[in-house]
Amino acid sequence: MVFTPRPTALQPPTYGKSVTVLSIDGGGIRGIIPGVILGFLESELQKLDGQDARLADYFDVISGTSTGGLVTAMLSAPNNDNRPLFSAKDIKDFYLEHCPKIFPQESYHYLPGSAEKIVKAVTGPKYDGKYLHNLLHEKLGDTKLHQTLTNVVIPTFDIKLLQPTIFSSYAVKDHPSLDANLRDICIGTSAAPTYLPAHYFETHDSDGSSRQFNLVDGGVAANNPALVAINQVTKEVTGGSADFSSKMHPLEYSRFIVLSLGTGTAKEEGKYDANQAAKWGILGWLTNGGSTPLIDVFSQASSDMVDFHLSTIFQALQSEHNYLRIQDDTLTGDLSSVDIATKENLASLVEVGEKLLKKPVSSVNLQTGVFQLLNKGTNEEALIRLAKTLSNEKRLRDIKSPHVQN
């Protein structure tokens, strides 16, 4: 199968100095937090390059897990004019409108720890996922992976194979069986265990062969997909892709510019402790105080380990200014939930995103689990600097590329 080149506004990295990566964590309704952050970044790019500027015009790859995978599709799927289906500022309103219908509170209003809730947790997922399925069918239609306006990388986990399945614009060129509908990929990567049902679908090649997928939430494999995105780019460089300069070394991480967005986390002291966990069985790990400790543990561990790894690498290469991780670890109560989609809670999450812009740039300390300040100004100031860097990189590529009329 031969794929036609995408009508991207961004020329390949071979004509520039850097490889630009946007990564968005999983986190259910908390995806509204990176939505606010991205809305600000896109507005800064528009100040520099005009109101038509979109994030897909500046990032070589956008990667997202679970709710981050949905945002990835929104930013990269084409509309009828081959421009991004959504602008970044639309993400907030999208979540405010649709999250209450994806996670209807009236269908799951039992008290924490109640017998009804325990039975529900054991016998099936909290939500049937029908509204999400219909919504994605309406918005994304039959758009396939290879049609995105920039490269995307969306992790999922195949429960039948017991291994990750990475839907990647890079990999689809050699593995056409990965060229699934974006709506199926989004449903699969969002199918968080105990919350939404696993998703089955098939793809069919032009030669008649088919491939089955049995998917659950990508957070099982990579809740923070930044490293997966870098891995896919590295494979392209190693394979000699024409999109990358022949002078670029596969491990030349200093060439990467990475914006990694978390969806917030609750690290309030005392939420869980060893004395509590020592008494938990299956039910305790699945439902405790209105939360799902097992999911909290694996998703947060995945996110922090990737952040810690990338922070260390960029520091070792003396290019830490190329890596920006924006995360809020102060969420408490309903704010830390992935599915309490009340009007009040969603509005509060918007405020979290807006306040996060004003907070100092920070990074996680793996010894304490607490974010520490980096003396680099606020996240807002860092994003303004990033917008200028992205704009300059795009202009450099436009100047050097023979495919752009200057």
Side-chain angles (χ1 to χ4, degrees):
M1 183 180 296
V2 177
F3 298 130
T4 56
R6 59 173 52 88
T8 179
L10 181 62
Q11 296 301 306
T14 189
Y15 301 115
K17 294 181 178 179
S18 304
V19 180
T20 53
V21 178
L22 169 60
S23 173
I24 309 156
D25 285 13
I29 61 170
R30 301 198 311 266
I32 203 168
I33 297 174
V36 172
I37 304 297
L38 292 172
F40 176 80
L41 175 60
E42 191 170 87
S43 69
E44 290 301 311
L45 289 167
Q46 290 171 346
K47 290 177 184 178
L48 296 169
D49 297 331
Q51 289 302 307
D52 291 336
R54 296 290 184 268
L55 293 177
D57 301 334
Y58 297 87
F59 285 99
D60 292 304
V61 54
I62 303 177
S63 183
T65 296
S66 192
T67 194
L70 176 57
V71 173
T72 296
M74 293 171 67
L75 296 174
S76 62
N79 62 18
N80 292 333
D81 297 320
N82 273 326
R83 294 295 292 149
L85 191 61
F86 289 84
S87 66
K89 67 179 177 61
D90 296 328
I91 297 172
K92 178 185 72 174
D93 291 337
F94 179 92
Y95 274 73
L96 290 173
E97 177 182 355
H98 296 293
C99 281
K101 300 171 187 177
I102 297 172
F103 303 110
Q105 301 303 288
E106 62 273 13
S107 70
Y108 200 73
H109 59 271
Y110 315 114
L111 294 174
S114 70
E116 288 178 291
K117 183 172 182 179
I118 292 173
V119 170
K120 178 68 175 178
V122 172
T123 58
K126 280 188 178 184
Y127 310 100
D128 60 24
K130 290 181 180 178
Y131 183 85
L132 177 63
H133 292 207
N134 292 334
L135 176 65
L136 293 177
H137 191 280
E138 174 193 341
K139 299 298 183 182
L140 298 175
D142 295 324
T143 301
K144 291 188 176 295
L145 176 61
H146 82 271
Q147 294 175 300
T148 56
L149 296 174
T150 189
N151 298 296
V152 300
V153 175
I154 302 177
T156 66
F157 190 86
D158 194 303
I159 194 68
K160 185 174 183 178
L161 301 177
L162 286 180
Q163 67 179 32
T165 296
I166 310 299
F167 289 92
S168 164
S169 300
Y170 299 114
V172 77
K173 291 178 290 187
D174 296 320
H175 303 282
S177 63
L178 291 173
D179 193 33
N181 288 325
L182 274 181
R183 65 173 188 264
D184 283 318
I185 297 172
C186 288
I187 293 170
T189 194
S190 301
T194 77
Y195 289 94
L196 289 165
H199 186 51
Y200 172 85
F201 63 92
E202 298 181 10
T203 58
H204 301 274
D205 292 348
S206 57
D207 61 5
S209 60
S210 63
R211 178 173 174 178
Q212 299 178 344
F213 296 91
N214 298 267
L215 304 181
V216 296
D217 195 326
V220 173
N223 200 54
N224 176 346
L227 197 57
V228 179
I230 291 175
N231 169 272
Q232 292 294 304
V233 173
T234 300
K235 285 184 177 180
E236 287 293 290
V237 176
T238 303
S241 170
D243 283 351
F244 299 90
S245 170
S246 59
K247 297 179 181 179
M248 183 175 177
H249 190 277
L251 295 180
E252 198 173 356
Y253 277 27
S254 60
R255 293 278 294 273
F256 285 89
I257 296 174
V258 179
L259 172 61
S260 176
L261 301 180
T263 56
T265 180
K267 290 194 174 179
E268 69 266 28
E269 187 174 350
K271 183 175 183 180
Y272 308 124
D273 61 39
N275 290 330
Q276 287 178 296
K279 302 172 185 177
W280 293 342
I282 293 176
L283 293 181
W285 280 99
L286 289 179
T287 174
N288 192 285
S291 299
T292 308
L294 186 61
I295 293 180
D296 287 348
V297 168
F298 75 65
S299 63
Q300 195 53 51
S302 168
S303 294
D304 281 354
M305 286 301 292
V306 170
D307 181 27
F308 182 74
H309 176 73
L310 289 178
S311 294
T312 302
I313 287 180
F314 279 91
Q315 288 175 21
L317 296 172
Q318 297 183 330
S319 57
E320 56 264 39
H321 57 281
N322 283 4
Y323 175 68
L324 176 60
R325 171 72 171 171
I326 299 180
Q327 173 71 304
D328 192 318
D329 68 341
T330 64
L331 303 187
T332 58
D334 290 353
L335 288 176
S336 65
S337 166
V338 300
D339 68 326
I340 299 181
T342 62
K343 181 179 180 180
E344 295 75 18
N345 198 42
L346 291 170
S348 296
L349 287 170
V350 171
E351 291 183 15
V352 169
E354 292 170 346
K355 291 179 180 178
L356 186 55
L357 286 168
K358 305 297 183 181
K359 288 185 176 182
V361 176
S362 58
S363 66
V364 69
N365 183 320
L366 205 62
Q367 301 304 316
T368 64
V370 177
F371 275 67
Q372 57 191 14
L373 306 186
L374 295 180
N375 297 318
K376 294 183 178 179
T378 66
N379 290 317
E380 190 174 72
E381 291 168 341
L383 288 168
I384 292 172
R385 293 193 295 269
L386 175 62
K388 293 178 181 178
T389 299
L390 293 172
S391 177
N392 290 337
E393 174 69 15
K394 185 178 185 302
R395 293 184 186 192
L396 175 64
R397 295 186 191 185
D398 289 345
I399 291 172
K400 289 190 173 183
S401 173
H403 306 293
V404 176
Q405 294 182 353
N406 299 302

